[in-house]
Amino acid sequence: MNLAKDKNKLGIWMCTSLVIGNMIGAGIFMMPSALASYGGISILGWIASSIGALLLAKVFSKLSNMVKQKTGGPYAFAKIGFGDYIGFLVAWGYWISTWVANAAIAIAFVSALTVLFPILEESSAVAVLTGLGAIWVLTWFNSRGVKNSGKMQLATTLLKLVPILVIIAGGFFFFDVNNFVPFNASEETNLGAIAITGTLTLYAFVGFESATVPADNVENPEKTIPQATMLGTLITTLVYILSTVVVMGMIPMEQLASSPAPFADAMRIMSGEIGEEIVAIGAAIAAFGALNGWILIQSQIARATAIDDMFPRIFKKENKKGAPVWGLIIGSILSSMIMLMNYTEGLVEQFKFMILLSMLCCLVPYIFSTAAYVSIALQRNPGKGSRPSVFILGTLTFFYAIWAVYGAGEEAVFWGFILLLLGTPFYVWIKWKYSKEQ
């Protein structure tokens, strides 16, 4: 028995903060500006993506009960539902998406700090060192055990919510309903505008599945994981929609559409110039907390796959604190390399495209997990009485995920498919390597 691991378990609030913290990154602080050109109808896009996210969260909650204490989240579900190869592809895509996204989150962290420290905008070297410093400090922190990571996540989640909740609470005193006229400010049809804004806002929900990944590091996982997944997704949904409505109600759409810092503008209306610094601190904490959570998830997904002999064994090696230290180090090296690309002239566009691919690689595990839910549910409970609810939830969630993939665009889908298939030679090599050792 690993006593260190037994003491390093995540409880309900740490799991919930992992879900909220991984979903609410620095991106939410820019979302009102991105949606402003569509007008108030973008709120319906938020609602559409929220419904889809809650459906997906419900599927993952049910799967966590069906596949008790099995670590790996989407990977574990796909493997049980469809076998080793599909499970591997899901793990491969999800793992890539996490360390690529971590580079983007580190850059968002640096970007948020530029308001407080202008030198970060003036010197690429200082900016790079700051971003790399954040990655490696949190990598070290995660190596101290999952409990430490959970404490950090809980603290940063509470801190990042403060400026957003202040704006939600105080913003209604500065609210002007005329800012929502015209309701559809774009040239799209109403349905078209809802579809586009629904796709844009969907990416803000990536991370709701976080509590399912480190399942064997969770206290009472049968109850904790489903509760944390649903509670975290619901809280995040309310924060997203309410904060966007308030900011749009405070700032005219024409001004909001060109604002680089809409929450800072809203806070400035409420509290003067000091508001900009408060929001900058909140955005930096949001990015720092999200980076902490995703570094944990990145190492746990690789560890789960290595335990099943489908990733190199080095990924499952643990230190005295029960942390998969080499999985942390390798993932952070890759994140560091991607981050350095962003500061190399000529490679910025490639970096942006890789981020889009990483988002697509998150959607593929969602699709397979949804299909696995129906498959596993029917295998384990073949009675007719359970089928209608299983098929209804599974069908709605599956087609929502397909719609989201469609919204990612043809080019991203094309290259994302190739990226996933590039894992096939790696899978063959791993299988051959382990078969020789048996």
Side-chain angles (χ1 to χ4, degrees):
M1 180 182 291
N2 190 333
L3 295 177
K5 176 170 281 192
D6 288 343
K7 294 178 181 178
N8 279 284
K9 296 271 188 176
L10 300 175
I12 179 64
W13 291 114
M14 288 184 183
C15 278
T16 302
S17 68
L18 183 63
V19 174
I20 298 172
N22 280 10
M23 292 170 74
I24 301 180
I28 179 58
F29 290 88
M30 282 297 297
M31 191 60 74
S33 294
L35 299 176
S37 60
Y38 296 95
I41 199 170
S42 60
I43 302 301
L44 298 182
W46 264 123
I47 293 172
S49 58
S50 299
I51 292 171
L54 288 168
L55 285 171
L56 283 163
K58 187 67 175 176
V59 166
F60 274 73
S61 296
K62 287 183 173 294
L63 279 168
S64 67
N65 268 332
M66 295 176 184
V67 186
K68 295 178 181 178
Q69 298 186 18
K70 180 64 176 175
T71 193
Y75 154 72
F77 305 148
K79 180 177 180 292
I80 291 171
F82 302 107
D84 286 358
Y85 178 61
I86 296 298
F88 168 82
L89 284 183
V90 166
W92 172 262
Y94 196 77
W95 179 66
I96 290 174
S97 74
T98 54
W99 53 257
V100 171
N102 281 345
I105 296 170
I107 291 165
F109 171 70
V110 174
S111 178
L113 288 178
T114 56
V115 174
L116 303 172
F117 307 101
I119 191 174
L120 293 171
E121 196 168 11
E122 299 164 4
S123 171
S124 293
V126 175
V128 168
L129 289 174
T130 302
L132 293 177
I135 290 173
W136 287 101
V137 164
L138 288 173
T139 300
W140 170 81
F141 202 84
N142 273 271
S143 74
R144 308 305 296 166
V146 71
K147 188 85 169 184
N148 273 358
S149 179
K151 289 177 180 177
M152 170 73 79
Q153 198 68 1
L154 182 58
T156 55
T157 297
L158 293 174
L159 288 172
K160 79 172 68 175
L161 287 175
V162 170
I164 300 176
L165 294 178
V166 167
I167 290 174
I168 291 173
F172 282 107
F173 293 101
F174 303 88
F175 197 87
D176 185 356
V177 72
N178 292 320
N179 288 338
F180 290 89
V181 179
F183 189 60
N184 183 358
S186 70
E187 297 179 357
E188 302 286 339
T189 64
N190 287 344
L191 285 176
I194 292 171
I196 293 170
T197 55
T199 301
L200 282 172
T201 54
L202 166 69
Y203 297 122
F205 287 101
V206 171
F208 66 85
E209 74 285 354
S210 297
T212 68
V213 176
D216 61 352
N217 287 294
V218 174
E219 293 178 2
N220 195 11
E222 295 88 349
K223 291 184 178 180
T224 300
I225 293 174
Q227 290 175 358
T229 300
M230 292 305 300
L231 182 60
T233 304
L234 186 58
I235 291 173
T236 304
T237 297
L238 292 173
V239 169
Y240 280 163
I241 294 177
L242 288 174
S243 63
T244 304
V245 169
V246 170
V247 172
M248 284 183 165
M250 293 176 68
I251 305 170
M253 291 295 175
E254 300 80 13
Q255 180 184 338
L256 186 60
S258 59
S259 172
F263 277 79
D265 291 342
M267 188 70 89
R268 193 180 298 113
I269 292 172
M270 294 170 56
S271 60
E273 291 185 4
I274 194 174
E276 183 178 10
E277 294 184 357
I278 293 173
V279 170
I281 293 171
I285 293 173
F288 195 74
L291 183 60
N292 175 67
W294 282 111
I295 286 175
L296 169 66
I297 296 301
Q298 154 222 290
S299 64
Q300 290 290 328
I301 195 75
R303 169 180 168 269
T305 316
I307 287 173
D308 290 337
D309 290 341
M310 287 195 286
F311 261 32
R313 290 196 178 102
I314 192 171
F315 285 100
K316 66 179 178 181
K317 290 184 178 179
E318 298 178 349
N319 61 13
K320 293 180 180 179
K321 298 288 186 178
V325 63
W326 283 106
L328 288 166
I329 291 172
I330 293 170
S332 290
I333 288 173
L334 293 168
S335 295
S336 299
M337 291 170 60
I338 295 295
M339 185 181 178
L340 287 169
M341 285 175 58
N342 189 62
Y343 289 95
T344 304
E345 188 176 355
L347 291 177
V348 175
E349 290 304 316
Q350 289 93 319
F351 174 81
K352 290 178 180 177
F353 186 67
M354 288 180 73
I355 292 300
L356 185 59
L357 289 181
S358 77
M359 294 301 99
L360 179 70
C361 288
C362 275
L363 290 170
V364 172
Y366 295 167
I367 290 172
F368 279 115
S369 295
T370 300
Y373 159 66
V374 177
S375 176
I376 296 170
L378 294 181
Q379 287 175 22
R380 298 191 177 183
N381 189 12
K384 292 183 179 180
S386 64
R387 291 182 182 179
S389 61
V390 169
F391 277 119
I392 291 171
L393 178 59
T395 300
L396 288 174
T397 309
F398 181 82
F399 281 107
Y400 171 76
I402 291 291
W403 174 73
V405 170
Y406 170 79
E410 293 179 8
E411 189 176 11
V413 172
F414 173 76
W415 288 108
F417 183 67
I418 290 178
L419 179 65
L420 288 173
L421 290 184
L422 283 175
T424 301
F426 186 74
Y427 173 79
V428 173
W429 174 75
I430 287 290
K431 283 290 187 182
W432 172 78
K433 183 176 181 295
Y434 286 136
S435 66
K436 285 183 65 178
E437 296 174 3
Q438 293 175 353

